[in-house]
Amino acid sequence: MTFHEFLIETKREELIDVTEKVREAVRASAVKDGLCVVYCPHTTGAITVNEGYDPDVRPDFLLGLREAFPDRREFLHAEGNSAAHIKSSVVGCSETLIVENGKLVLGQWQTIYFCEFDGPRTRRFYVKVIS
């Protein structure tokens, strides 16, 4: 088992490709067969796996979430970022991936993203590789 922590700088709202950082963690673990958990400890951030080939997927993803969960005057949360909290919960704080023959198993078009819904911030995410 290995544990890795990564720091990233984010903009206001974005999807950041963290696939290579996760692959680094898998390589460093020397685990041949097992699981890899990617976890976000922030309540206004998230982790997801989605298409990485077409760059239009990222802005479309964010637009869809903005339209589904807009900021509303009626929200009571004092920080004014309730929509970011909702997006984080809907997308989720982690992904569990397969490690096979020492490599991360992803589909041809799949990319691992850190989702920022309330930046800019310095964020962290964790990778745990388990044999």
Side-chain angles (χ1 to χ4, degrees):
M1 281 191 289
T2 62
F3 179 80
H4 299 268
E5 177 181 13
F6 295 96
L7 293 175
I8 53 177
E9 297 296 324
T10 68
K11 298 176 185 166
R12 182 175 137 19
E13 185 179 69
E14 65 179 321
L15 298 184
I16 300 168
D17 181 349
V18 297
T19 309
E20 284 310 310
K21 291 181 184 306
V22 177
R23 282 193 173 117
E24 282 174 29
V26 170
R27 277 192 296 275
S29 76
V31 168
K32 294 298 176 201
D33 296 295
L35 296 175
C36 174
V37 178
V38 184
Y39 174 74
C40 168
H42 305 287
T43 60
T44 57
I47 301 291
T48 195
V49 174
N50 212 304
E51 182 180 326
Y53 181 74
D54 183 347
D56 290 334
V57 170
R58 291 188 221 194
D60 290 350
F61 184 91
L62 293 170
L63 175 63
L65 286 173
R66 273 195 306 276
E67 289 187 357
F69 306 104
D71 287 323
R72 300 176 54 111
R73 281 181 303 201
E74 299 85 5
F75 286 148
L76 301 176
H77 183 48
E79 289 182 39
N81 60 355
S82 290
H85 286 287
I86 295 167
K87 292 171 191 174
S88 174
S89 287
V90 168
V91 174
C93 64
S94 68
E95 290 286 344
T96 302
L97 306 160
I98 297 169
V99 175
E100 183 74 25
N101 296 319
K103 294 184 180 177
L104 198 58
V105 177
L106 287 171
Q108 180 177 1
W109 309 115
Q110 287 184 317
T111 296
I112 305 163
Y113 291 110
F114 182 96
C115 308
E116 175 61 74
F117 301 124
D118 191 37
R121 296 181 187 263
T122 299
R123 297 291 199 170
R124 67 187 68 237
F125 70 94
Y126 304 112
V127 177
K128 180 83 168 181
V129 185
I130 306 161
S131 62

